[in-house]
Amino acid sequence: MAEKYYEKDKCPICGSQKITYCGSEIQNPYLFYRCICDDCNTTYDEYYELIYAGMENIIGGNK
Ligand SMILES: [Zn+2]
C-alpha cells in the first residue's frame, strides 16, 4: 500500500515519538490506527497486517 517505508511509532514528518493513538478500524486484512503527532499535529494511519492467532471466549449456543 504505502510506497515508502516509515518506522513504527514515529511521526513520518518530524520523527517525533510523541504520538497519540485515537481509535482503530479494521479493513480486512489490515488494522488501521489513527495517529496524531503531538509535536507537529500531523495525522496519519498506522496499519498492521492481521494474522489469524486462534479463538477464545467460545460459548456454546443452545440448539
Ligand atoms: Zn510530527
Side-chain angles (χ1 to χ4, degrees):
M1 289 178 80
E3 289 181 11
K4 188 177 169 187
Y5 180 78
Y6 294 104
E7 212 175 321
K8 183 178 172 296
D9 297 327
K10 271 190 183 178
C11 172
I13 301 300
C14 76
S16 170
Q17 291 183 294
K18 287 186 220 158
I19 307 298
T20 299
Y21 292 87
C22 46
S24 61
E25 185 185 330
I26 288 173
Q27 285 175 35
N28 214 10
Y30 298 107
L31 170 71
F32 289 78
Y33 280 114
R34 194 79 199 126
C35 309
I36 301 170
C37 174
D38 291 341
D39 279 336
C40 72
N41 289 323
T42 295
T43 62
Y44 59 96
D45 290 337
E46 213 173 75
Y47 64 97
Y48 294 78
E49 216 165 345
L50 296 175
I51 299 165
Y52 178 68
M55 294 184 188
E56 64 173 8
N57 299 323
I58 298 169
I59 300 163
N62 296 317
K63 203 175 181 186

